[in-house]
Amino acid sequence: LILASLLIAGAVAVNKAWKVYQLASEVSADLNNVQSLIAKKLDLQTVVGAKMLLQKIQTDMDGLRKETEPILRVTGGWLAWLPVYGSDFEVSADLLVMTDELVNATSISYEALTPVLEAATDNSSSFSPAQLSLLLVEAQPRLLEAQKKLELAMSIRRGIDVERLSPRARELLMKVDPLPGLLQDGLTASIAAPALLGASDDGPKTYMLLAQNEDELRATGGLITLVGSFVFDNGQVLGLEFQDSALFQDWSKPYPSAPWQMQAFMNIPVMLLRDANWFPDYPTSVARIEYLYAYHYKHSVDGVIALDQQSIVFLLDALGPVTMDGIPEPITADNVIQFMRQSKTPPPGADLKTWDRKAIISKLASTLLERLISGKNVDWQKIAFALQKALDQKHILLQMDLKEMKDLLARRGWDGTVRAGTGDFLMAVDSNVGYDKTNAVLKEKLSYDVDLSDLKNPKSSLAVFHQNQASPDAICTPTVPDAASPEYWYLTDRCYHNYLRIYVPAGTGLMNATPHFITAEWMPLGQAIPARVDTLNEKIVGLQAYGTLLVVPGGKTLSTSFQFSLAPGVVTGRESTKTYTLKIQKQPGTLAIPITVRIHLPDTAKITSLSKEANANGKDILIETTLETDLIVEVVFSLQ
């Protein structure tokens, strides 16, 4: 009888183990499918078609949790002593609950947002922000339920030390890890959207629009050329209008002093709204912009959206051609920048006293926004990708007062904050101080060389190359704006006057540099500027800034170099294993600036892991790429 009982128990155990193995294999395959789905460029049709995958995952997880959780709760702690797999058993029950809650959160979110997805992919009808806000209001209870489940899953995940898990368990967890962040951002945006669209109890929302012209590059993307505003009320857009930024001045009011660089290099004593984005940190610039906006409007705004010319290219590429009264040809992604440049040149016979050089740009912006707001003939999948591309590449910057959106924008890097990394950091910022549009004919490239051969004394050097493709006889005398002068409308054939700022980690010392002497004839105040590098105090947490003035004549290339002593903290880790991390933050308004990064490791170093952009040759690492987005480089190495 005892033997028979043991045989039966053994058979049951084997059968149980086999069922668990099969279910675990199914879940692993499901996670592989999820990982493949995340890696793809998702379209709305794919998301709609993911329903069967979600249902399968939920069924498999329910089965696995039912078979294993009662046993693991009892035995997990007993088996923690086992080598390699002990920690897996110890947290196995928590891993099951975490994955199950995550799958449930995803499934509930999908179910709640299905009406939105179906409406957005229905090409037979229009889909407007007003309809979106209505559907999202109806989905709120289920979205909040999904958010609670996600928060539980993320809380459990934070308590699991992945380094203690076996390689297999670590691999499985890494398959899951990308999903919570994506789901968190999607839920945050979906829950916040009704408030953002003025469809919540908070009431209507007012937003400011800043049209920045990167042909006259400034720190956050370009000279502020137009200022617009509109109100969202239950998804309906009210009061859409644009004004020339030059009209935002009232000399009866006390304006704050301009940054000292504007005073010395541009003869601008006070700060006006059009120049208020001097500060690379977008929230810092927005604070100044809103302050100066209040000189003219008593109402506050709930967010500030900055966009440049390239963002219009992306939108037109997704939206298709648009037509405007009085314009003979459709405006497309291919011709819009040239159209905007030409529109600021007065037509033959124009009365310069009454002609508004920005009227057509304002009309184009209004036409695009009205087309989007109407939802007619809009492919929202293409629009979503275009907006994400513009945000990732910093051609659109967003500042929102709603806390949940602030956090989301920060996680995504869409808020324009200049944010130090965990190790080394670099950001080069150009500011055109020449009253012209020479950035339209300027080429730039960067070269950054990091010497870690002596970890107690790490060093780096930066070279910035500016190539001015204007004619060799371009005028270097600065041209001050004159509304009555047709010569000012779109000056590109000029020398390039630029105040260059370099941002590095706090504690980084400037060892040497090659600044440039500027002759008095090239300065508006008629005073020569000595070759110097300014140590700046811009109060950006964790960062130090250095600045220098340079002028690039037409047809010339100018090289400016800096040598730094890096703080030892840029390399982290234990005695034998080290990690060097470099974040290079892209300046808004710039295109894909070429950059070369070289990293030299100690002679005794052995590379453990390397960012995919990097190539290793012995102890030397080379990265050649372009700054379309921020660049993150990580090198892990051991010392022999």
Side-chain angles (χ1 to χ4, degrees), residues 58-203:
Q58 194 161 24
T59 299
D60 292 342
M61 278 303 308
D62 286 345
L64 183 61
R65 187 172 178 179
K66 180 180 178 181
E67 291 289 340
T68 60
E69 189 176 16
I71 299 172
L72 291 174
R73 286 293 181 195
V74 176
T75 64
W78 296 353
L79 300 174
W81 58 270
L82 288 172
V84 182
Y85 299 103
S87 294
D88 295 0
F89 282 105
E90 188 176 10
V91 300
S92 53
D94 286 338
L95 280 170
L96 280 172
V97 174
M98 180 200 79
T99 308
D100 196 27
E101 292 298 324
L102 181 58
V103 169
N104 284 330
T106 306
S107 182
I108 294 169
S109 302
Y110 182 91
E111 177 190 323
L113 293 174
T114 293
V116 176
L117 295 171
E118 290 176 345
T121 54
D122 184 1
N123 295 326
S124 64
S125 62
S126 61
F127 183 55
S128 68
Q131 292 169 292
L132 172 64
S133 61
L134 180 62
L135 291 174
L136 287 176
V137 167
E138 294 174 351
Q140 290 296 295
R142 294 290 278 164
L143 292 175
L144 291 171
E145 180 185 353
Q147 190 178 56
K148 288 182 179 179
K149 290 184 174 295
L150 176 61
E151 288 172 354
L152 174 59
M154 295 179 75
S155 175
I156 294 172
R157 173 63 184 89
R158 285 191 292 270
I160 297 173
D161 183 359
V162 69
E163 296 300 324
R164 296 182 59 203
L165 300 179
S166 68
R168 176 60 176 160
R170 193 181 306 130
E171 180 186 350
L172 286 171
L173 192 57
M174 288 177 64
K175 292 177 182 178
V176 178
D177 273 348
L179 187 57
L182 292 172
L183 185 56
Q184 181 186 27
D185 289 347
L187 281 170
T188 298
S190 299
I191 292 170
L196 296 174
L197 296 171
S200 71
D201 293 339
D202 292 341

Side-chain angles (χ1 to χ4, degrees), residues 302-472:
D302 300 289
V304 181
I305 305 164
L307 61 163
D308 63 13
Q309 295 179 119
Q310 190 62 34
S311 68
I312 305 301
V313 173
F314 292 162
L315 279 175
L316 279 170
D317 189 45
L319 198 58
V322 297
T323 57
M324 292 169 51
D325 293 340
I327 307 299
E329 296 181 2
I331 300 169
T332 69
D334 294 328
N335 66 20
V336 65
I337 287 185
Q338 190 60 27
F339 166 78
M340 288 189 286
R341 288 170 178 168
Q342 290 177 347
S343 69
K344 293 182 180 178
T345 301
D351 183 353
L352 298 181
K353 294 182 179 179
T354 59
W355 180 70
D356 183 355
R357 64 193 179 97
K358 297 182 182 179
I360 294 181
I361 306 299
S362 175
K363 187 176 180 180
L364 172 62
S366 297
T367 300
L368 290 171
L369 285 172
E370 288 167 2
R371 171 87 175 273
L372 288 171
I373 291 163
S374 72
K376 295 178 181 177
N377 300 316
V378 175
D379 186 329
W380 287 106
Q381 171 188 313
K382 290 183 177 180
I383 294 298
F385 286 142
L387 291 176
Q388 181 174 340
K389 184 179 179 180
L391 286 163
D392 288 341
Q393 297 187 14
K394 302 184 189 299
H395 297 296
I396 295 178
L397 302 177
L398 298 177
Q399 181 275 324
M400 298 289 170
D401 290 349
L402 192 66
K403 183 185 182 304
E404 293 79 4
M405 285 303 297
K406 277 181 179 289
D407 295 341
L408 185 155
L409 297 176
R411 287 194 299 271
R412 287 285 181 174
W414 293 344
D415 60 352
T417 298
V418 178
R419 190 176 284 112
T422 56
D424 201 2
F425 179 91
L426 177 67
M427 184 179 187
V429 175
D430 290 329
S431 294
N432 186 326
V433 292
Y435 293 114
D436 52 46
K437 303 296 187 287
T438 45
N439 287 99
V441 295
L442 188 84
K443 299 293 183 182
E444 185 174 358
K445 64 179 181 179
L446 304 172
S447 178
Y448 190 54
D449 200 291
V450 183
D451 184 1
L452 302 178
S453 58
D454 180 0
L455 292 179
K456 294 181 180 179
N457 187 28
K459 300 175 183 177
S460 68
S461 60
L462 170 69
V464 184
F465 302 89
H466 291 93
Q467 181 187 14
N468 187 355
Q469 296 181 313
S471 63

